Amino acid sequence: ELTMEFPCEGGAARALDGVSFAIERGRVLGLVGESGCGKSMTALCVMRLLPAPGRIAGGRVLFDGVDLLALPEREMRRLRGARIAMIFQEPTTALNPVLTAGYQIAEALRIHKPVSARDAWRRAVELLAEVGIPEPAARANDYPHQLSGGMRQRVMIAMAIACEPDLLIADEPTTALDVTIQADILDLLRRLRERRGMGVILITHDLGVVAEQADRVAIMYAGRIVEEAPTRELFAHPLHPYTRALLASMPTLGVHRERLDAIPGTVPDITRRPSGCSFRDRCPLATDECVAAP
């Protein structure tokens, strides 16, 4: 029941409205929805990295039985990056431009592990090799601007897995990468999860990625989880009209259509959220009951 708000004139804009889901060790939960629906904000709440002036207005974030929202910041720092890690959406802005790739990975290790600078650097090079970067010893001395987009994304993954976290949050890990690099990154995440037994929250708007990678899928719309199911079940028998509309908008191999079935309209403004079901103004199945829906 996680609820998060931004203060605004005349009250508060609710970005997350009673979000609930669970993720098990070694499993992948796909968190899917349009841009602006609250996927990344959910991840930032889990990491307790909310942008100001956002605030958590209710609910809990339970990790291994501990409510992260109740922890002092010092204890949260011990968890963040060590047991819970995140691959951010845009590596160009997430990486420090004036520090080498190797230094940034080694720094993550030294913050959380009792290792020397030499051992941390050696492990950083090993991690670069593990995520598939050629000539890792040389690339460790490169700055982010000297690396390609795919390599920067792999450096972000190396930083995230450096301390072998129990939970990895991957926020659009293949955004802005070409198709072959996307496949490499997703295969890498799968192998790391199987080898290390991490739970993974995979945030994306790409239903093809979800179908291939996720064990369960949670469909998000306007700050709410509108449907959650095992991946096969959700693709075979979607229940919510929004889920059906998302699947209908996907191109299908072997099926010729003049136009894709686009969803009309846009996600509602969180400062002017409609009463009842937030999808009702875009839904062809809407009735009077949808106005009063919880």
Side-chain angles (χ1 to χ4, degrees):
E1 294 297 323
L2 184 67
T3 300
M4 195 278 286
E5 299 175 339
F6 287 99
C8 62
E9 188 175 344
R14 185 161 289 186
L16 299 179
D17 190 9
V19 170
S20 296
F21 59 80
I23 175 69
E24 300 171 2
R25 188 182 300 274
R27 309 290 280 179
V28 179
L29 174 75
L31 191 57
V32 181
E34 292 174 80
S35 296
C37 72
K39 305 186 300 296
S40 295
M41 208 56 65
T42 300
L44 293 175
C45 284
V46 174
M47 298 293 289
R48 271 184 46 183
L49 292 173
L50 271 183
R55 70 180 189 90
I56 294 174
R60 298 184 297 168
V61 178
L62 295 174
F63 176 72
D64 205 13
V66 176
D67 185 2
L68 299 182
L69 304 183
L71 286 180
E73 178 58 26
R74 178 176 293 181
E75 291 186 36
M76 187 63 202
R77 285 179 186 169
R78 293 196 188 109
L79 287 177
R80 191 190 296 126
R83 297 193 63 199
I84 308 173
M86 183 168 173
I87 302 169
F88 291 91
Q89 188 169 355
E90 180 45 70
T92 303
T93 54
L95 293 171
N96 191 321
V98 300
L99 299 176
T100 64
Y103 181 93
Q104 294 185 63
I105 299 169
E107 182 182 42
L109 282 162
R110 295 193 68 192
I111 287 172
H112 296 290
K113 301 284 187 182
V115 295
S116 67
R118 178 177 295 180
D119 288 342
W121 182 267
R122 185 173 64 249
R123 180 60 183 143
V125 173
E126 291 173 354
L127 285 162
L128 289 175
E130 187 172 354
V131 298
I133 290 183
E135 301 181 24
R139 296 289 75 78
N141 289 297
D142 284 348
Y143 292 90
H145 74 272
Q146 296 174 292
L147 302 171
S148 68
M151 282 190 178
R152 285 194 292 266
Q153 195 75 343
R154 290 169 191 260
V155 170
M156 284 290 302
I157 294 172
M159 289 176 63
I161 66 171
C163 297
E164 302 190 8
D166 298 306
L167 174 65
L168 178 67
I169 303 172
D171 187 2
E172 300 279 8
T174 58
T175 296
L177 300 179
D178 64 54
V179 175
T180 54
I181 299 298
Q182 285 185 26
D184 287 345
I185 294 293
L186 291 170
D187 186 56
L188 170 64
L189 289 176
R190 178 187 56 77
R191 285 186 280 110
L192 291 173
R193 172 178 56 85
E194 291 173 352
R195 190 183 313 155
R196 297 167 182 265
M198 297 183 298
V200 178
I201 299 175
L202 178 61
I203 298 173
T204 183
H205 58 266
D206 189 329
L207 288 167
V209 169
V210 167
E212 184 179 345
Q213 299 288 326
D215 300 293
R216 292 185 65 84
V217 185
I219 303 294
M220 198 166 195
Y221 185 79
R224 295 175 178 172
I225 302 290
V226 296
E227 183 169 0
E228 182 181 352
T231 304
R232 285 180 177 272
E233 181 181 321
L234 183 130
F235 276 79
H237 304 290
L239 299 179
H240 196 279
Y242 178 61
T243 310
R244 294 178 184 177
L246 280 180
L247 293 173
S249 68
M250 292 178 62
T252 305
L253 191 66
V255 177
H256 175 72
R257 288 184 285 178
E258 292 295 332
R259 295 177 63 89
L260 294 176
D261 298 322
I263 303 173
T266 58
V267 177
D269 188 331
I270 60 173
T271 62
R272 295 186 296 273
R273 189 188 299 274
S275 61
C277 175
S278 297
F279 187 59
R280 63 182 173 83
D281 291 338
R282 307 173 69 189
C283 180
L285 304 178
T287 67
D288 292 341
E289 293 178 17
C290 302
V291 179

